[in-house]
Amino acid sequence: MTQVFRSKVDAWLMAIMLAAVALIAVSIVSAWQDARPGAVAVSVVGAVAAGLVLWVLGATDYRVADGVLRIRSGPLRWREP
């Protein structure tokens, strides 16, 4: 039997992360509106950064099965006996 424990995220941390995502979105829109050189690069890097932040916030959990703790946080995964 596998037990799954979702990670809690404090409200202040959630607020900071969502503010960061909002700032990234504003910078992407600003780059495209001003037709700045590098707007595509800003968009790609910004989208990757925002996606990573949201992925870590939404997909962090701990699973216990067969004497092994499996930890998952966004793209990171590791195991502890």
Side-chain angles (χ1 to χ4, degrees):
M1 179 176 155
T2 300
Q3 292 179 304
V4 178
F5 302 93
R6 302 243 343 125
S7 181
K8 290 179 79 175
V9 178
D10 287 334
W12 65 269
L13 180 60
M14 180 71 79
I16 289 171
M17 294 300 190
L18 292 179
V21 170
L23 284 172
I24 291 168
V26 167
S27 70
I28 290 171
V29 169
S30 174
W32 281 98
Q33 284 181 341
D34 297 343
R36 278 190 254 151
V40 173
V42 168
S43 299
V44 170
V45 171
V48 168
L52 184 61
V53 167
L54 294 174
W55 190 7
V56 169
L57 279 177
T60 298
D61 63 28
Y62 308 89
R63 296 170 187 262
V64 180
D66 302 324
V68 176
L69 171 65
R70 295 171 194 243
I71 305 162
R72 180 180 69 143
S73 182
L76 306 173
R77 309 239 188 301
W78 59 97
R79 299 164 34 135
E80 294 291 329

